[in-house]
Amino acid sequence: MERYWQPEMETASRETLTKIQSERLVALVKRVYDNVPLYRERMDNAGVKPEDIHSIADLGKLPLTSKQDLRDTYPYGLFAVPLKDVVRLHASSGTTGKQIVVGYTKNDLETWSDICARQLTAAGAGKDDIIHVSYGYGLFTGGFGIHGGAERIGATVVPVSSGNTERQITIMHDFGCTFLCCTPSYAMYLAETIEKMGVPKEEIKLRGGIFGAEPWTKEMCDSLEQKLGIKAFDVYGLTEIMGPGVAFGCSEQNGLHVNEDHFIIECIDPETEQPVPDGQQGELVFTCLTKEAFPLVRFRTRDIGVLSHEACSCGRTFVKMSKPMGRTDDMLIIRGVNVFPSQIETVLLKLGYSPNYEIIVDRVNNTDTFDLRVEMTEDMFSDTVSGIAKYERTLTEALKSTLGIGVHVVLAPPHTLKRSEGKAKRVIDKRKETGKC
Ligand code: DLL
C-alpha cells in the first residue's frame, strides 16, 4: 500500500499544480529581479520584465542559467537574501571545475526535509525504521539532506557518513538498521563486504534502500535488491538545486517524481534550447520555485533524461523523469560514436559480471583507444584459461553489438579494482588529461 507524506501536494490535480507553480513563478521572478544583479541584467538584456511573467506558460521567456554563471559569481553572487539569513552552506565537489557554493535559509532547510520525507515515505520507511545514512556528511549535500528527511518522518537516524566499510557493516548489523541510504556503487561494495566478513544474511535487517547521486541501471537495481534482500529506490538531486530529493522513486520503481510544487522541470534540446516533447530525450532544466537563499531560474543541469506525464500507479501526480542516463559531459565520444558508461554497465550485469569496471580512453596516432577493465566473478576466475578467453570474447561481442564500436576487454581477477565510498569513478579519459581533445 502506497503512503504519502504530503498527499495534498503529491496527489494534487494538474490544474492545482499549474496554479501553484504559476503563482510561485511570478513571485520568484520578481524576487530574483530585485535581489540578484545577474538575473536583472540577463532579463534586461532579453527585454523581459517581471510584469511579463504571468504563468508557467511564460517560462520560456526567461534566460537559461548555466554552471559557468555559478562559477563566475562565486561564492555568493547568486544569493537572493543577505548572508545573515543564510543558516547553512553546502558546496559541490568541484571535480569538473571550480567548486560552487549554495546557501539555505531556515525555510529552505524545512522544505528540503519535507521533500526527503516524501521520498522516504514513498519507499515505505516510517517512524519504526532505523535509517543508516552512508552518504557523506559535510559540504556534500547527500548526508545532511537525507538526514533531515529521516528525522522529519520520526525514524531513528544513524549518521554513519562514508568510509570505514567494515565498521559500517558492524553498525548496520548491531544497530539493526532497516534502511540504507548511499550511492548504488557503495551499496554494492557494502553487500560484497557483508559476504566477505561472513555475516549471516538473515542477521542484517535491511528491508529498503534509497540510492542515488550517480547514474545506475535497472540491472544494478535488480542486483542490489537480490544481494541485500531489499527494495531499492532511486533518488535524484543536485547541489545547485537543493541536494537529494529533487525527484524520487516510488513503488512503481520506474522513473522519479519531481517535487513540482518546489521545482519546475523542463526537458530541452541541448543544441536548440527548445523544449522536447514527453518521451523524447533531452537536457533537464530546473527552476527553484520556493527557495529563498539560492533560487536558480532555468538551470541547465547537463543531465540527460526523458519526461512523462502519464498516470503513475502510486497515485502521485507529479511529472516523472526517467533515470538520468548520464550527463552531457559524461558522454564519451569515441571514434565518433557516443558512449555512456551506463550502457556498458547494463551489458556487464546482464552477462553476470559485477558492476566493478573501469573505462580507459586514450588517443594514439590520432586514433581513439577504448579499453575496458572488468572484474570476473569468483566462478569465472576459477575456470580454465580457455574458459576465461571465451568469457572475454562473449563480452567483447556483446559490447560491440550494444555500443556499435569495438572495445578492448581486459578481465581482471575478483576484488582487484578500486572500490568507491561515494560516487564511483568509472572513466579515465587520458585524452582530456593530456589535452588531446
Ligand atoms: O549528488 C545530490 C544527491 C545526493 C543526489 C544524494 C542523490 C542522493 P551533486 O554532487 O551536485 O549532488 O551531483 C549531482 O549527480 O547532476 C546527476 O548527474 C548525478 N545524479 C544525482 N542523482 C542521480 C541519480 C548530488 N539518481 C549530479 N541517477 C546530477 C543518476 C544522478 N544521476
Side-chain angles (χ1 to χ4, degrees):
M1 203 183 69
E2 190 72 39
R3 295 176 303 149
Y4 313 104
W5 179 249
Q6 289 167 316
E8 69 291 357
M9 282 299 168
E10 293 173 63
T11 62
S13 67
R14 182 54 38 196
E15 200 188 348
T16 306
L17 284 173
T18 302
K19 187 165 174 288
I20 291 173
Q21 287 193 322
S22 293
E23 284 167 7
R24 291 182 174 178
L25 180 68
V26 170
L28 166 79
V29 172
K30 184 162 175 7
R31 218 149 32 83
V32 295
Y33 189 84
D34 290 344
N35 295 298
V36 184
L38 180 120
Y39 284 120
R40 186 162 51 246
E41 190 188 312
R42 289 279 165 85
M43 285 175 60
D44 285 346
N45 288 345
V48 191
K49 294 280 174 224
E51 305 78 73
D52 299 327
I53 306 300
H54 305 287
S55 74
I56 52 167
D58 297 317
L59 190 62
K61 294 180 183 165
L62 296 165
L64 291 157
T65 311
S66 71
K67 189 128 181 159
Q68 191 56 43
D69 294 325
L70 273 62
R71 293 196 181 118
D72 293 345
T73 49
Y74 174 87
Y76 301 136
L78 288 183
F79 282 27
V81 297
L83 265 185
K84 69 176 169 48
D85 296 333
V86 172
V87 297
R88 170 99 66 81
L89 295 174
H90 279 283
S92 71
S93 60
T95 45
T96 55
K98 192 166 159 183
Q99 72 171 3
I100 53 111
V101 180
V102 297
Y104 305 76
T105 63
K106 206 162 178 310
N107 285 336
D108 293 337
L109 292 184
E110 293 290 319
T111 305
W112 196 9
S113 294
D114 267 334
I115 61 175
C116 286
R118 288 178 188 176
Q119 151 86 89
L120 285 157
T121 309
K127 269 179 169 342
D128 297 333
D129 281 295
I130 304 178
I131 303 186
H132 183 115
V133 183
S134 310
Y135 285 117
Y137 281 66
L139 287 177
F140 178 56
T141 54
F144 280 103
I146 299 277
H147 187 108
E151 280 191 350
R152 176 122 321 167
I153 62 167
T156 308
V157 198
V158 187
V160 197
S161 196
S162 55
N164 207 338
T165 304
E166 293 205 355
R167 181 170 163 263
Q168 299 242 1
I169 308 292
T170 306
I171 289 172
M172 184 186 288
H173 172 269
D174 296 356
F175 294 10
C177 297
T178 53
F179 265 80
L180 172 64
C181 303
C182 60
T183 59
S185 54
Y186 192 51
M188 202 49 107
Y189 184 25
L190 285 167
E192 200 176 83
T193 311
I194 291 173
E195 224 175 276
K196 197 175 109 209
M197 287 169 69
V199 180
K201 226 175 152 179
E202 62 282 3
E203 288 183 14
I204 296 284
K205 298 284 177 250
L206 290 182
R207 62 186 189 88
I210 291 171
F211 309 112
E214 64 184 7
W216 56 309
T217 55
K218 160 94 179 55
E219 289 73 18
M220 175 93 150
C221 179
D222 294 344
S223 173
L224 265 180
E225 291 195 329
Q226 190 259 324
K227 279 184 196 298
L228 287 171
I230 59 170
K231 267 236 162 291
F233 296 86
D234 205 348
V235 55
Y236 169 85
L238 57 166
T239 315
E240 294 88 339
I241 300 304
M242 187 67 116
V246 172
F248 61 101
C250 63
S251 54
E252 211 175 83
Q253 289 180 297
N254 177 24
L256 300 105
H257 290 284
V258 177
N259 282 297
E260 284 190 277
D261 49 337
H262 296 295
F263 312 105
I264 301 179
I265 188 169
E266 297 170 83
C267 190
I268 64 166
D269 178 324
E271 301 291 323
T272 64
E273 298 181 351
Q274 292 307 306
V276 300
D278 274 17
Q280 200 172 306
Q281 223 174 64
E283 179 179 348
L284 304 177
V285 171
F286 283 96
T287 297
C288 307
L289 290 171
T290 51
K291 259 173 85 186
E292 295 176 340
F294 193 77
L296 290 184
V297 177
R298 302 197 74 208
F299 177 68
R300 291 185 68 156
T301 61
R302 303 192 202 164
D303 287 327
I304 301 179
V306 172
L307 299 188
S308 162
H309 283 84
E310 272 173 31
C312 182
S313 61
C314 79
R316 286 181 183 78
T317 47
F318 290 157
V319 63
K320 273 164 103 174
M321 55 181 261
S322 63
K323 257 179 180 312
M325 62 180 298
R327 302 170 69 90
T328 45
D329 36 358
D330 282 345
M331 188 182 77
L332 292 157
I333 304 180
I334 305 172
R335 288 175 234 138
V337 177
N338 299 346
V339 174
F340 278 102
S342 53
Q343 292 173 293
I344 295 175
E345 186 175 295
T346 301
V347 174
L348 290 179
L349 288 163
K350 274 193 181 145
L351 292 183
Y353 288 85
S354 70
N356 296 306
Y357 60 98
E358 235 170 47
I359 301 163
I360 304 140
V361 190
D362 200 355
R363 187 163 294 160
V364 179
N365 297 331
N366 290 322
T367 306
D368 292 331
T369 59
F370 179 15
D371 292 354
L372 179 70
R373 276 164 53 80
V374 187
E375 266 181 21
M376 285 177 273
T377 59
E378 301 279 356
D379 283 355
M380 293 174 184
F381 191 49
S382 59
D383 209 331
T384 58
V385 174
S386 66
I388 291 177
K390 200 166 155 221
Y391 288 126
E392 218 163 60
R393 264 198 316 277
T394 311
L395 177 57
T396 307
E397 279 159 24
L399 286 167
K400 177 138 201 229
S401 103
T402 301
L403 305 175
I405 177 176
V407 48
H408 176 236
V409 172
V410 179
L411 293 184
H415 312 293
T416 49
L417 297 187
K418 194 170 179 299
R419 302 294 190 265
S420 119
E421 292 172 348
K423 297 183 191 237
K425 182 166 167 36
R426 310 274 193 207
V427 180
I428 303 167
D429 193 340
K430 295 188 177 162
R431 300 171 305 178
K432 281 192 185 147
E433 288 161 15
T434 53
K436 290 181 199 160
C437 71

